[in-house]
Amino acid sequence: MSYERLLRSSEIWNLKSEISILLLGATGSIGENTLRVVRGHRDRLRIEGLAARSRWRDLTGPAREFGVKHIALGDPAAAREAENSGEFAAGTKFYAGENGLCEFAGLPGADTLVSAAVGTAGLLPTLAAIRSGKRICLASKEILVLAGKWVMAEARARGVDLLPVDSEHNALFQCLAAEPGRRYRRLILTASGGQFRDWPVEDLVKVTPADAVRHPNWNMGPKVTVDSATMANKGLELIEARWLFDARPDQLAVVIHPQSIVHSMVEFADGSILAQLCPPSMTFPIQHCLFHPDRADSVMPTLDFAQALSLDFRPPDPARYPCLGLALQALSAGGAAPAIFNAANEEAVAAFLAGKAAFTDIPRIVERALSSTSFSDPETLEEMLAADAEARRLARNA
């Protein structure tokens, strides 16, 4: 994606008086924060549709509040329950299953899709939204990890804007937009280091799921919070950055920044470094994407430099974060390796959260999948999905 082209095309977007939004992943933390942003800007933002996997009861309140008439659920049984519940307004249209999600994502009455489904569940709906010409606010990093080649090619072919919601990639985008056309040397992603960054490494085997879902800075879902603790999330973000910014592996770096205030940095050819700062709230990058290239008043308090503020940085410890090293290996190997890393990590985290694996088993399971699978470069999305399925099978049996 050419970000110079994105900036030019966004000048037209800035003229829109109202932005209508389909929210995929409405019951998660990104969904909740998107609704918070919309709530603060009802004069310009409108929710056209809400989608979730199965938690339809969590959609009833937002549907009433925002007058939503399009509801999609990936679980067909949940969609039937929702439609027969009488909890939604008369005239509400329901969409069920994967095909229903894709139909929902292509609705002609909306111009923006916020893609925030957990894992790769949002891949096909996001492609459907791209093919219908919608602007994409992408919060699911796994989509580009699995299918970056096809998603980015589709976006280019359709002339669709794809804006990164992840706070790190959104920060990189803002820094690069400040210096359009300038040659960068490195993209530096920051990481909190997770909730166990100061634990003795030998104690990590004792980590419980209850320990792992409590993040010191961010309010996120269980899977993403565990990924933060292992820094698998940062590995996924490096792979995503490769697709978003056409970066080589040697141009990508990670630094631990416990305060989560500097969200990423760009080092340019002359050695100058630009950083983007804001509090650790996802409302900031979500709002930036929804209004870009415009800016609107923040719905949350911003940094107060009248108060003391310390910013610390340190390199990640490979012994503490083996998943980060495995992600870098997958990024360098290319082909199906990043998708295999992602699929195996999803299965390993699910096993850990279910009490079927130890926290320290997560990198072991991922490494086994990577060492047991071919890294050939799939020519079609179907071949990549087959590699994903095989990695999941290996991870479940590890």
Side-chain angles (χ1 to χ4, degrees), residues 6-232:
L6 176 55
L7 292 171
R8 289 195 299 273
S9 68
S10 294
E11 293 173 3
I12 299 172
W13 188 264
N14 197 22
L15 301 176
K16 296 177 72 67
S17 59
E18 184 181 65
I19 299 165
S20 55
I21 300 161
L22 297 173
L23 181 50
L24 182 65
T27 59
S29 61
I30 296 294
E32 291 171 359
N33 280 294
T34 300
L35 295 177
R36 188 171 290 124
V37 171
V38 174
R39 201 171 282 124
H41 295 284
R42 286 179 178 267
D43 58 327
R44 298 233 6 230
L45 303 176
R46 175 171 59 87
I47 298 292
E48 183 75 13
L50 298 166
R53 191 182 70 83
S54 60
R55 290 163 48 191
W56 65 266
R57 291 176 180 83
D58 292 344
L59 300 179
T60 58
R64 285 193 295 268
E65 179 182 359
F66 295 100
V68 176
K69 293 296 186 70
H70 296 278
I71 300 293
L73 291 149
D75 181 345
R80 287 192 296 272
E81 284 184 19
E83 187 168 8
N84 296 326
S85 69
E87 296 292 328
F88 295 89
T92 298
K93 184 170 182 181
F94 293 87
Y95 305 81
E98 189 172 81
N99 290 337
L101 288 173
C102 290
E103 182 183 356
F104 168 89
L107 282 173
D111 47 48
T112 299
L113 176 77
V114 175
S115 180
V118 174
T120 55
L123 171 59
L124 295 180
T126 299
L127 283 170
I130 291 172
R131 288 164 185 155
S132 70
K134 290 177 177 54
R135 168 179 273 201
I136 307 298
C137 298
L138 185 64
S140 175
K141 61 181 69 67
E142 292 88 349
I143 286 176
L144 292 186
V145 172
L146 174 64
K149 178 166 66 174
W150 295 279
V151 172
M152 298 306 286
E154 196 75 44
R156 283 192 296 270
R158 306 276 177 170
V160 164
D161 295 343
L162 194 155
L163 294 164
V165 169
D166 258 356
S167 64
E168 296 82 1
H169 301 96
N170 185 264
L172 292 172
F173 175 58
Q174 293 195 52
C175 292
L176 290 168
E179 293 283 334
R182 301 292 187 268
R183 186 163 57 91
Y184 66 82
R185 181 179 296 162
R186 283 192 306 165
L187 305 179
I188 306 167
L189 283 73
T190 59
S192 71
Q195 48 275 55
F196 312 121
R197 62 179 171 245
D198 298 317
W199 281 36
V201 173
E202 59 271 19
D203 287 351
L204 294 178
V205 70
K206 303 174 185 177
V207 169
T208 68
D211 296 327
V213 297
R214 292 193 293 265
H215 195 280
N217 300 340
W218 295 94
N219 178 21
M220 305 181 292
K223 194 267 183 184
V224 179
T225 307
V226 174
D227 281 351
S228 178
T230 65
M231 279 184 69

Side-chain angles (χ1 to χ4, degrees), residues 194-378:
Q195 48 275 55
F196 312 121
R197 62 179 171 245
D198 298 317
W199 281 36
V201 173
E202 59 271 19
D203 287 351
L204 294 178
V205 70
K206 303 174 185 177
V207 169
T208 68
D211 296 327
V213 297
R214 292 193 293 265
H215 195 280
N217 300 340
W218 295 94
N219 178 21
M220 305 181 292
K223 194 267 183 184
V224 179
T225 307
V226 174
D227 281 351
S228 178
T230 65
M231 279 184 69
N233 72 323
K234 213 52 52 178
L236 294 170
E237 288 166 14
L238 291 173
I239 298 166
E240 185 182 7
R242 173 259 180 274
W243 290 108
L244 284 170
F245 306 109
D246 196 25
R248 303 187 310 269
D250 64 299
Q251 291 178 301
L252 298 167
V254 172
V255 62
I256 290 181
H257 168 53
Q259 293 83 12
S260 297
I261 289 173
V262 174
H263 295 282
S264 278
M265 298 173 277
V266 176
E267 180 182 356
F268 290 93
D270 63 356
S272 297
I273 296 176
L274 294 187
Q276 186 268 341
L277 287 73
C278 68
S281 165
M282 287 305 298
T283 60
F284 291 93
I286 292 168
Q287 180 166 309
H288 177 263
C289 288
L290 290 175
F291 281 106
H292 180 78
D294 198 2
R295 295 209 184 242
D297 291 341
S298 169
V299 298
M300 297 289 285
T302 188
L303 298 175
D304 180 6
F305 287 100
Q307 305 296 320
L309 178 66
S310 296
L311 303 176
D312 303 315
F313 302 92
R314 63 178 187 252
D317 176 8
R320 183 180 297 277
Y321 303 111
C323 280
L324 180 60
L326 292 169
L328 288 168
Q329 291 175 29
L331 176 60
S332 297
I340 293 165
F341 170 85
N342 173 66
N345 179 67
E346 280 190 21
E347 295 295 331
V349 171
F352 166 66
L353 289 173
K356 299 176 181 178
F359 181 77
T360 49
D361 286 334
I362 295 173
R364 179 188 62 78
I365 293 170
V366 173
E367 184 172 22
R368 178 172 177 180
L370 284 169
S371 63
S372 305
T373 316
S374 168
F375 292 166
S376 61
D377 193 4

